[in-house]
Amino acid sequence: METLSILLADFTPMDPKDYVGFTFFVGCMAMMAASAFFFLSMSSFDSKWRTSILVSGLITFIAAVHYYYMRDYWGASVAADGLENGSSPIFFRYVDWILTVPLMCVEFYLILRAAGATKKLMWTLIGASTVMLVTGYWGEGVDRDNAWLWGLASGLAYFYIVYLIWFGEAKALATSAGGEVLKAHNILAKFVLIGWAIYPIGYMAGTAFGDPEGLQTEQWYSFAAGIEMDVIYNIGDAINKIGFGLVVYNLAVTSSSK
Amino acid sequence: METLSILLADFTPMDPKDYVGFTFFVGCMAMMAASAFFFLSMSSFDSKWRTSILVSGLITFIAAVHYYYMRDYWGASVAADGLENGSSPIFFRYVDWILTVPLMCVEFYLILRAAGATKKLMWTLIGASTVMLVTGYWGEGVDRDNAWLWGLASGLAYFYIVYLIWFGEAKALATSAGGEVLKAHNILAKFVLIGWAIYPIGYMAGTAFGDPEGLQTEQWYSFAAGIEMDVIYNIGDAINKIGFGLVVYNLAVTSSSK
Amino acid sequence: METLSILLADFTPMDPKDYVGFTFFVGCMAMMAASAFFFLSMSSFDSKWRTSILVSGLITFIAAVHYYYMRDYWGASVAADGLENGSSPIFFRYVDWILTVPLMCVEFYLILRAAGATKKLMWTLIGASTVMLVTGYWGEGVDRDNAWLWGLASGLAYFYIVYLIWFGEAKALATSAGGEVLKAHNILAKFVLIGWAIYPIGYMAGTAFGDPEGLQTEQWYSFAAGIEMDVIYNIGDAINKIGFGLVVYNLAVTSSSK
Amino acid sequence: METLSILLADFTPMDPKDYVGFTFFVGCMAMMAASAFFFLSMSSFDSKWRTSILVSGLITFIAAVHYYYMRDYWGASVAADGLENGSSPIFFRYVDWILTVPLMCVEFYLILRAAGATKKLMWTLIGASTVMLVTGYWGEGVDRDNAWLWGLASGLAYFYIVYLIWFGEAKALATSAGGEVLKAHNILAKFVLIGWAIYPIGYMAGTAFGDPEGLQTEQWYSFAAGIEMDVIYNIGDAINKIGFGLVVYNLAVTSSSK
Amino acid sequence: METLSILLADFTPMDPKDYVGFTFFVGCMAMMAASAFFFLSMSSFDSKWRTSILVSGLITFIAAVHYYYMRDYWGASVAADGLENGSSPIFFRYVDWILTVPLMCVEFYLILRAAGATKKLMWTLIGASTVMLVTGYWGEGVDRDNAWLWGLASGLAYFYIVYLIWFGEAKALATSAGGEVLKAHNILAKFVLIGWAIYPIGYMAGTAFGDPEGLQTEQWYSFAAGIEMDVIYNIGDAINKIGFGLVVYNLAVTSSSK
């Protein structure tokens, strides 16, 4: 059917001061464009690098779809309750992260495969990132009374990933590979250490270390006055996902042209 | 027309405790990402393996579309009647299964084709899986008074598939092929035996062996308190379909690189 | 804009006894999956067979889009007037048929091209199928008083196609080609004779030979009690279109591998 | 959000006598199928012909999107005001034409490029077609008091295109190319002379030579009794755009196979 | 669910004098068609030029999506408040520009890469264009009291880009490359100088040099009587983006055919 022509009697223009909505919109479009870029550039690489580029595109594509939903969710919330009371789509963020973060771990494996990375390493990284995210979701969304405990578990999993990439098996393989692969590995490792740091910060801000002031669950992060975590997440996500993919892309370009 | 700007006066945020909705969302996105992965990686394989990868992608793609509908159906149900009374989209599940399960049977044929699998074997597997699903639908949806009878017919068809794959013609072909093909066949056979076991369990839970307590047909599976079959189905489907496809993908990679 | 969150106060679950709706849904998904299969497998064939596979995919793709609309139309009708009074989307069926049936005729030409089929034969088949469908639509939808006359014209065009394929020029070309082409031609010819027979049966049931009982035009086929023509159409369409395409696909596989 | 389940309390079935709606629907689907055909067949041609096929596909694709909108617009209009008072989507037609007609002119250039057609010829044709359409829109939509004057300007631009193609530079190039190119050029030239003639006829009918009876601007072409210009446009557009593309496709096939 | 059949009781036909709406519609379709053209023609070029064509397609694709939103936004605004009070979607324009303008800067780098352009030059251009747009957004949308100051910062960044392209490092590289590359560079440089000039003009018109008359923020550019900036933007954007892409496309064609 789809014949649809309802219109608001009272048209509400976009508020230029809605930075959250603005960065949701930019984020969605940037992720979409990045996905198109990665997918369409695949055919220019030989098959050895294609899987890496494909996974880069999948990461931004999954994010693009979630930003589409988050943008809508935020917009509906602002339209219903006003800009001051916009509701953070943390539900969608976790769905996004649960799918994209393990895929970012897979990228480390794909890059180091030629240097001898085993599937066991890949599954270790996937497993640690899944633990990190599921415990994080549980602490923020379900069992907020014990947020500190779930946050601790999540943090331990995170630091295990950091350890593997900065000092452990993954680092050793990157060092043995050397050259462009090592350079790329080091940049990606910095993404994990620095770029991903915004997520535990957001976690702590959102749960307020056990939620002592009794914030309602459905008002996560909606600080009328204060730091807008969503703006930080939106910019952070864009850098962490598109930047991550571009490092891999650059490695593929420099390795293929040799 | 499509000009559309209706907004709820009372904005309802997503409930972080809606595990069913959460797993529907994750499932939909994971299936979609898996389809993109399979379809876009097709060009990296020689034509012998392309059909197998294509069918893997079709399975997850069909599931992605159905999860999209199921997610919406569940969301609309929760919004109307509350989280406690969410209605299970079993109607859509069967549409999904009736299309994807026969395609999974086709995968066995495609893998064993080089070892001499006949089209007769393929049609036998397709036929048995169709019987399994149509009788299952009939028992759950239409003739619940005789749910045990339909369930029995469905179960017999299921065990016939298990027999063919574990001991019968399919197993013999896999053994004669040996190597990577046999390994992959054995993993896929475990998917059928272990992974698919959740479906008859769900059937028995849903029909409660003849529906003695008089549950209304339209409230299948909506146990206010108890096991949430939908969460089990959503996680099970993801493993059974994406995992199944990844085993085939892995076989194609190892066979092509030789 | 697209921000949309209206929800029914009274959520109506899908009725598992709505076989028409169920087969519309399965049909839509099956057609969509078949299109994806045909389109994505095109690159595995040499260019001689690609056009045939492309046309197979177009036929199922056009059908998929129409099934999407028909599913919605049926669902809206059932929701408004109850399952007993569902309204048949015969309007959409004819749009579908007017585009796909001539394309099926083109398939005969494409298969027999190597054996010397002329464009004149192609246009004759296209012309006859167009006459068959336009007169059929006129008799069912517009001038129901003379339904028998329009039905007769439609039937004559149909039998002319059957004649060409079973005994006439097309048959002669198929015989001269022999081998796999002849086999495929004979199966496709059976589709036309047996599979297409459901359409004139539906026509006769729908118009009831001149509509003596004064059924209202807008209630075509909605028999509260009796044969559900839509279920027959939905299953028939799936077999006639996907099966037709698979025969062509199979011919392409066997011919390419030689 | 997108969770949507509103249903009409009073379900209105499609009227089989709504020929305009019917041809909008068929037109939309035919254009869409033609686009899929052209785009997906591109890879079968060598790069010399690919641009021509691509432009053929763009023409039908742009038309498909506009027919989608026009179908909806017409349907909404009929649902609101009744079949007798359906409102013609002339606004969308002009958007469509302003993009597709210059592209059809580009096709002449692409075909004659090998024979030495210059970019100057291409831009002359693009320019003349743009003048033809902008003046036409102005006369029909904005300054109806001087419809005859704008119609005259539009007509002059049209005849200049006809002159170039039938007797001028384009004809000379086609003659020097000879063979299949000349044949195709002559058929395309007939499309321009005969097929495009429906547009000035529609213009004259719509503006009624200065609009003496004071038809309201928003009721363009909605003749309760009389010729349904929309049916003529819909059939004409399908022939002019798909047929045009098929002539180019046929030229590519015959030229490539040599 | 998506079953949707709401219809306006009072159907409002499109106003042919709504030039803004008309150019939004044409712009959206033209951008979409251009994207399809660039993306689908990629495979005809060798990999050296593919990235340039891909970026051209991304620019028009991002614009197409934004025009889709802007068209809807404008339409909803006109339907709610009348054509005289249509609200300019400047919010969406900035989202578009923030993504596409840096990509246009990347095109300069891609063209000059063979002549030795460094990544530093690319990042300098990206940085300057980002400064130009963020300060512009701030001045127009957030801190209108100091619009002159933000406008000055934006203008300085703009002239720095012009300097680099017309006299600085980029110009030097283009001169050293010579031939077709220099020609294309010079045309693109003219786009930046002349074509982009409409944006600062729009900025000055919109902010009215500090907004002395106290226009409300949400009424940017909606001049009941006066210059319609949106029509100028819509035509300007189409030329600046599609034209820009076609210059790159033309360079790729002439360079590949040698």
Side-chain angles (χ1 to χ4, degrees):
Chain A
M1 305 304 292
E2 298 214 342
T3 309
L4 185 62
S5 14
I6 307 165
L7 287 163
L8 272 187
D10 50 335
F11 174 76
T12 322
M14 306 289 291
D15 188 335
K17 290 201 177 97
D18 179 2
Y19 316 125
V20 175
F22 191 85
T23 49
F24 271 128
F25 214 100
V26 177
C28 180
M29 294 295 151
M31 295 290 189
M32 194 179 65
S35 312
F37 179 77
F38 290 130
F39 288 152
L40 288 167
S41 69
M42 271 179 69
S43 65
S44 306
F45 296 101
D46 46 76
S47 61
K48 194 194 149 203
W49 285 107
R50 252 181 230 176
T51 313
S52 302
I53 304 295
L54 172 49
V55 173
S56 293
L58 281 182
I59 291 166
T60 51
F61 177 59
I62 295 171
V65 176
H66 285 88
Y67 268 79
Y68 181 86
Y69 284 103
M70 291 198 276
R71 176 167 64 72
D72 254 15
Y73 183 86
W74 173 261
S77 149
V78 165
D81 302 324
L83 184 53
E84 298 303 293
N85 301 305
S87 173
S88 242
I90 198 73
F91 181 96
F92 294 101
R93 284 206 189 278
Y94 269 98
V95 178
D96 177 0
W97 294 341
I98 277 169
L99 293 166
T100 53
V101 173
L103 284 176
M104 284 196 247
C105 292
V106 170
E107 286 282 29
F108 281 99
Y109 161 75
L110 290 172
I111 285 172
L112 301 174
R113 206 172 23 171
T118 57
K119 286 218 167 151
K120 189 168 155 280
L121 175 63
M122 182 184 81
W123 287 110
T124 306
L125 287 166
I126 290 175
S129 60
T130 305
V131 167
M132 175 176 85
L133 287 157
V134 169
T135 53
Y137 183 74
W138 214 255
E140 265 195 304
V142 182
D143 184 19
R144 286 170 72 87
D145 289 339
N146 299 308
W148 68 272
L149 194 68
W150 296 112
L152 183 68
S154 186
L156 287 176
Y158 167 66
F159 282 114
Y160 184 55
I161 297 170
V162 168
Y163 166 77
L164 279 174
I165 291 169
W166 277 79
F167 312 103
E169 188 183 345
K171 178 69 180 185
L173 288 163
T175 309
S176 83
E180 294 294 332
V181 170
L182 179 58
K183 267 193 227 166
H185 178 87
N186 287 345
I187 301 175
L188 296 182
K190 274 179 200 146
F191 272 107
V192 173
L193 187 64
I194 304 166
W196 294 16
I198 58 169
Y199 306 118
I201 293 171
Y203 181 85
M204 290 186 282
T207 59
F209 298 102
D211 204 20
E213 285 118 318
L215 286 168
Q216 291 177 29
T217 304
E218 59 267 32
Q219 287 179 328
W220 293 351
Y221 298 98
S222 54
F223 309 142
I227 317 143
E228 278 289 8
M229 271 314 294
D230 274 309
V231 173
I232 295 171
Y233 278 155
N234 290 352
I235 295 171
D237 262 9
I239 294 170
N240 285 343
K241 280 170 184 146
I242 301 175
F244 202 95
L246 284 175
V247 171
V248 174
Y249 175 84
N250 194 51
L251 173 59
V253 170
T254 48
S255 302
S256 298
S257 61
K258 276 175 190 172
Chain B
M1 305 304 292
E2 298 213 343
T3 309
L4 185 62
S5 13
I6 305 166
L7 287 162
L8 272 186
D10 49 336
F11 175 76
T12 322
M14 307 289 291
D15 188 336
K17 289 199 177 100
D18 180 2
Y19 315 125
V20 175
F22 190 83
T23 49
F24 271 128
F25 214 99
V26 178
C28 179
M29 292 296 151
M31 296 289 189
M32 194 178 65
S35 312
F37 179 77
F38 291 129
F39 288 152
L40 287 167
S41 69
M42 270 179 69
S43 65
S44 305
F45 296 101
D46 45 77
S47 61
K48 194 193 149 203
W49 284 106
R50 253 181 230 176
T51 314
S52 302
I53 304 296
L54 172 49
V55 172
S56 293
L58 280 182
I59 291 167
T60 52
F61 177 59
I62 294 171
V65 176
H66 285 88
Y67 268 80
Y68 181 86
Y69 283 105
M70 291 199 274
R71 176 166 64 72
D72 254 14
Y73 183 87
W74 173 262
S77 149
V78 165
D81 302 324
L83 184 53
E84 298 302 294
N85 301 304
S87 173
S88 242
I90 198 72
F91 181 95
F92 294 101
R93 284 209 189 276
Y94 269 98
V95 178
D96 178 359
W97 294 341
I98 276 169
L99 292 166
T100 53
V101 174
L103 283 176
M104 284 197 248
C105 292
V106 170
E107 286 281 30
F108 281 99
Y109 161 75
L110 289 173
I111 285 173
L112 301 174
R113 204 170 26 168
T118 57
K119 287 218 165 151
K120 188 166 156 283
L121 175 63
M122 182 183 82
W123 287 111
T124 305
L125 287 165
I126 291 175
S129 61
T130 306
V131 167
M132 176 176 85
L133 287 157
V134 170
T135 53
Y137 183 74
W138 213 256
E140 265 195 304
V142 182
D143 184 19
R144 286 170 72 86
D145 289 339
N146 299 309
W148 67 273
L149 193 69
W150 296 112
L152 182 69
S154 186
L156 287 176
Y158 167 65
F159 283 114
Y160 184 56
I161 297 171
V162 170
Y163 165 77
L164 280 174
I165 292 169
W166 276 79
F167 311 103
E169 188 183 345
K171 177 69 180 184
L173 287 163
T175 310
S176 83
E180 294 294 332
V181 171
L182 179 58
K183 267 193 228 168
H185 178 88
N186 287 345
I187 302 174
L188 295 183
K190 275 180 200 145
F191 272 107
V192 174
L193 188 64
I194 304 166
W196 294 17
I198 57 169
Y199 307 118
I201 293 171
Y203 181 85
M204 291 185 283
T207 59
F209 298 101
D211 204 20
E213 284 118 318
L215 285 170
Q216 290 178 30
T217 304
E218 60 267 30
Q219 286 180 329
W220 294 350
Y221 299 96
S222 54
F223 310 142
I227 315 142
E228 278 288 9
M229 271 315 292
D230 273 310
V231 172
I232 295 171
Y233 278 156
N234 290 351
I235 295 171
D237 261 9
I239 294 170
N240 286 343
K241 279 169 185 149
I242 301 176
F244 202 96
L246 284 175
V247 172
V248 174
Y249 175 84
N250 194 52
L251 173 59
V253 169
T254 48
S255 302
S256 298
S257 60
K258 276 175 190 171
Chain C
M1 305 305 292
E2 297 214 342
T3 309
L4 185 61
S5 13
I6 306 165
L7 287 162
L8 272 186
D10 48 335
F11 174 76
T12 322
M14 307 289 290
D15 188 336
K17 289 199 178 101
D18 180 2
Y19 315 125
V20 175
F22 191 84
T23 49
F24 271 129
F25 213 99
V26 178
C28 180
M29 293 295 151
M31 296 290 189
M32 196 178 63
S35 312
F37 179 78
F38 290 129
F39 288 152
L40 287 167
S41 68
M42 269 179 71
S43 65
S44 306
F45 296 101
D46 46 75
S47 62
K48 193 192 150 204
W49 284 106
R50 252 180 229 177
T51 313
S52 300
I53 304 295
L54 171 50
V55 172
S56 293
L58 280 182
I59 291 167
T60 52
F61 177 59
I62 294 171
V65 176
H66 285 87
Y67 268 79
Y68 182 86
Y69 283 104
M70 291 197 276
R71 174 167 65 72
D72 255 14
Y73 184 86
W74 173 262
S77 149
V78 165
D81 303 324
L83 184 53
E84 299 301 293
N85 301 304
S87 172
S88 242
I90 198 73
F91 181 96
F92 293 102
R93 284 208 190 276
Y94 269 98
V95 177
D96 178 0
W97 294 341
I98 276 169
L99 292 167
T100 52
V101 174
L103 282 177
M104 284 196 248
C105 292
V106 169
E107 286 281 29
F108 281 100
Y109 161 75
L110 290 172
I111 285 173
L112 301 174
R113 204 171 26 169
T118 57
K119 288 219 164 150
K120 190 167 155 281
L121 175 63
M122 182 183 82
W123 287 110
T124 306
L125 287 164
I126 291 175
S129 60
T130 306
V131 167
M132 176 175 85
L133 287 157
V134 169
T135 52
Y137 183 74
W138 213 256
E140 264 195 305
V142 181
D143 184 19
R144 286 170 72 86
D145 289 338
N146 300 308
W148 68 272
L149 194 69
W150 296 112
L152 183 69
S154 187
L156 287 176
Y158 168 64
F159 283 114
Y160 183 56
I161 297 171
V162 169
Y163 165 78
L164 279 174
I165 292 170
W166 276 79
F167 312 103
E169 188 183 345
K171 177 69 178 183
L173 287 163
T175 310
S176 83
E180 294 293 333
V181 170
L182 179 59
K183 267 193 227 167
H185 178 88
N186 286 346
I187 301 174
L188 295 183
K190 274 180 200 145
F191 272 107
V192 174
L193 187 64
I194 304 166
W196 293 18
I198 57 170
Y199 306 117
I201 292 170
Y203 181 85
M204 290 185 283
T207 59
F209 297 101
D211 204 21
E213 285 117 319
L215 286 169
Q216 290 177 31
T217 304
E218 60 267 31
Q219 287 178 329
W220 293 353
Y221 298 96
S222 54
F223 310 143
I227 316 142
E228 277 289 8
M229 270 315 293
D230 273 309
V231 173
I232 295 171
Y233 278 156
N234 290 351
I235 295 171
D237 261 9
I239 294 171
N240 285 344
K241 279 169 184 149
I242 301 175
F244 202 95
L246 284 175
V247 171
V248 173
Y249 175 83
N250 194 51
L251 174 60
V253 170
T254 48
S255 302
S256 297
S257 60
K258 276 174 191 172
Chain D
M1 305 305 292
E2 298 213 341
T3 309
L4 185 61
S5 14
I6 306 165
L7 288 162
L8 272 186
D10 49 336
F11 175 75
T12 322
M14 307 288 291
D15 188 335
K17 288 196 178 105
D18 180 1
Y19 315 126
V20 174
F22 192 84
T23 49
F24 270 128
F25 214 100
V26 178
C28 180
M29 293 296 151
M31 295 290 189
M32 195 179 64
S35 313
F37 179 78
F38 291 129
F39 288 152
L40 288 168
S41 69
M42 269 179 71
S43 65
S44 306
F45 296 101
D46 45 76
S47 62
K48 195 194 149 203
W49 284 107
R50 251 180 230 178
T51 314
S52 301
I53 304 295
L54 172 49
V55 172
S56 293
L58 280 182
I59 291 167
T60 51
F61 177 58
I62 295 171
V65 176
H66 284 87
Y67 269 79
Y68 181 85
Y69 283 103
M70 291 198 276
R71 174 167 66 71
D72 255 14
Y73 183 87
W74 173 262
S77 149
V78 165
D81 303 324
L83 185 53
E84 298 302 293
N85 301 304
S87 172
S88 241
I90 198 72
F91 181 95
F92 293 101
R93 285 209 189 276
Y94 269 99
V95 178
D96 177 0
W97 294 341
I98 276 169
L99 292 167
T100 52
V101 173
L103 283 177
M104 285 197 247
C105 293
V106 169
E107 286 281 30
F108 281 100
Y109 161 75
L110 289 173
I111 285 173
L112 301 174
R113 205 171 25 171
T118 57
K119 287 219 165 150
K120 192 169 154 278
L121 175 62
M122 182 183 81
W123 287 111
T124 306
L125 287 165
I126 291 175
S129 61
T130 305
V131 167
M132 175 176 85
L133 287 157
V134 170
T135 52
Y137 183 75
W138 214 256
E140 265 195 304
V142 182
D143 183 19
R144 286 171 72 87
D145 289 339
N146 299 308
W148 68 273
L149 194 69
W150 296 112
L152 183 69
S154 186
L156 287 175
Y158 167 65
F159 283 115
Y160 183 56
I161 297 171
V162 169
Y163 165 77
L164 279 174
I165 292 170
W166 276 79
F167 312 104
E169 188 182 345
K171 177 70 180 184
L173 288 163
T175 310
S176 83
E180 294 294 332
V181 171
L182 179 58
K183 268 193 226 167
H185 178 88
N186 286 346
I187 301 174
L188 296 183
K190 273 179 199 146
F191 273 107
V192 174
L193 187 64
I194 304 166
W196 294 16
I198 58 168
Y199 306 117
I201 293 171
Y203 181 85
M204 291 186 282
T207 58
F209 298 102
D211 203 20
E213 284 117 319
L215 286 169
Q216 290 177 32
T217 304
E218 59 267 32
Q219 287 179 327
W220 293 353
Y221 298 97
S222 53
F223 309 145
I227 316 142
E228 276 290 8
M229 270 315 293
D230 272 310
V231 173
I232 295 171
Y233 277 155
N234 289 352
I235 295 171
D237 261 10
I239 294 171
N240 285 344
K241 280 171 184 146
I242 301 175
F244 202 95
L246 284 175
V247 171
V248 173
Y249 175 84
N250 194 51
L251 173 59
V253 170
T254 48
S255 302
S256 297
S257 60
K258 278 176 190 172
Chain E
M1 304 305 291
E2 299 212 341
T3 310
L4 186 61
S5 14
I6 306 165
L7 287 162
L8 272 187
D10 49 335
F11 174 76
T12 323
M14 307 290 290
D15 188 336
K17 289 198 177 103
D18 180 2
Y19 316 125
V20 175
F22 191 84
T23 50
F24 271 127
F25 214 100
V26 178
C28 181
M29 294 294 152
M31 295 291 189
M32 194 179 65
S35 312
F37 179 77
F38 291 129
F39 288 152
L40 288 168
S41 68
M42 269 179 70
S43 65
S44 306
F45 296 102
D46 46 77
S47 61
K48 195 193 149 201
W49 285 107
R50 252 180 230 177
T51 313
S52 302
I53 304 295
L54 172 49
V55 173
S56 293
L58 281 182
I59 291 167
T60 51
F61 176 59
I62 295 170
V65 176
H66 285 88
Y67 268 80
Y68 181 85
Y69 284 104
M70 290 198 276
R71 173 166 66 72
D72 255 15
Y73 183 87
W74 173 262
S77 149
V78 165
D81 302 324
L83 184 53
E84 298 301 295
N85 301 305
S87 172
S88 242
I90 198 73
F91 182 95
F92 294 101
R93 285 208 189 277
Y94 269 98
V95 178
D96 178 1
W97 294 341
I98 277 169
L99 292 167
T100 52
V101 173
L103 284 177
M104 285 196 246
C105 292
V106 170
E107 286 282 30
F108 281 101
Y109 161 74
L110 289 172
I111 285 172
L112 301 174
R113 205 172 23 171
T118 57
K119 286 219 167 150
K120 191 168 155 279
L121 175 63
M122 182 183 82
W123 287 110
T124 306
L125 287 165
I126 290 175
S129 60
T130 305
V131 167
M132 175 175 85
L133 287 157
V134 170
T135 52
Y137 183 74
W138 214 256
E140 265 195 304
V142 181
D143 184 18
R144 287 169 72 86
D145 289 339
N146 300 307
W148 68 272
L149 194 68
W150 296 111
L152 183 69
S154 186
L156 287 176
Y158 167 65
F159 282 115
Y160 184 55
I161 297 170
V162 169
Y163 165 77
L164 280 175
I165 292 169
W166 277 80
F167 312 104
E169 190 183 344
K171 177 70 180 184
L173 288 163
T175 309
S176 83
E180 294 294 332
V181 170
L182 179 58
K183 268 194 226 167
H185 178 88
N186 286 345
I187 300 174
L188 296 182
K190 274 180 200 147
F191 272 106
V192 174
L193 187 64
I194 303 167
W196 294 16
I198 58 168
Y199 306 117
I201 292 171
Y203 181 85
M204 291 186 281
T207 58
F209 298 101
D211 203 21
E213 284 118 317
L215 286 168
Q216 290 177 32
T217 304
E218 59 267 32
Q219 287 179 327
W220 293 351
Y221 298 97
S222 54
F223 310 144
I227 316 143
E228 277 289 7
M229 270 314 293
D230 272 310
V231 173
I232 295 172
Y233 277 155
N234 290 352
I235 294 170
D237 261 10
I239 293 170
N240 285 344
K241 281 172 183 145
I242 301 175
F244 202 94
L246 285 174
V247 171
V248 174
Y249 175 84
N250 194 51
L251 174 59
V253 169
T254 48
S255 302
S256 298
S257 60
K258 277 175 190 173

